[in-house]
Amino acid sequence: MTSPVYLFDLASRQSQWLSARQATISGNIANANTPGYRAKDVEPFSDILDKTKLAMAATSNGHIGFDASRPEGMKVKKTDTWDTVHSRNSVSVEQEMIKAGEVDRQHSLNTSVVKAFHRMLMSSVRTA
């Protein structure tokens, strides 16, 4: 019997995280001129992934099993900013644009990995 593959679940979780991070970055940019606004960022995906225990598939009695748990919700944290202007606003548009570029690159990588895995999966189904 074949065990389910959880790569798509992991990619989906990262995609949701990237969406939340992009929304947070957009909110920071939208409030760049709001006096007293503090820039925010979401918890790093590596921290969320560390809290997530992916189920290991045991195909033999000799394999060690692990309990799976659901990832905790994404926490929004105060971000480290480059500077605070006179209005006590901590949003740096340049820093937010760098973060947006990181999100774009991570999303492209996520999509590429999913496409490659999908092609590999479809290739194995066609030859079986």
Side-chain angles (χ1 to χ4, degrees):
M1 182 172 175
T2 315
S3 299
V5 179
Y6 295 104
L7 180 71
F8 292 121
D9 185 43
L10 180 62
S12 174
R13 289 180 193 179
Q14 186 188 30
S15 183
Q16 291 169 353
W17 177 83
L18 289 168
S19 176
R21 185 158 194 229
Q22 187 62 44
T24 304
I25 292 167
S26 299
N28 288 344
I29 293 172
N31 287 293
N33 292 327
T34 304
Y37 182 81
R38 298 312 229 176
K40 300 173 186 170
D41 200 355
V42 295
E43 184 178 13
F45 187 68
S46 60
D47 292 351
I48 293 171
L49 192 58
D50 288 343
K51 294 175 188 174
T52 304
K53 306 241 186 307
L54 298 176
M56 300 294 288
T59 57
S60 169
N61 290 338
H63 292 168
I64 300 173
F66 295 96
D67 293 331
S69 67
R70 284 282 175 213
E72 294 184 16
M74 289 173 233
K75 299 175 187 170
V76 176
K77 63 175 185 151
K78 299 289 183 192
T79 186
D80 296 326
T81 184
W82 291 348
D83 57 6
T84 302
V85 294
H86 181 65
S87 68
R88 303 180 77 84
N89 184 320
S90 68
V91 176
S92 166
V93 176
E94 293 85 4
Q95 188 177 18
E96 298 304 315
M97 295 305 291
I98 290 171
K99 290 179 192 176
E102 290 171 3
V103 168
D104 182 50
R105 285 188 300 279
Q106 290 173 352
H107 180 71
S108 294
L109 178 62
N110 183 327
T111 304
S112 297
V113 168
V114 169
K115 282 182 183 179
F117 189 72
H118 183 259
R119 281 192 304 265
M120 181 182 70
L121 191 61
M122 293 306 291
S123 176
S124 66
V125 170
R126 287 184 195 133
T127 59

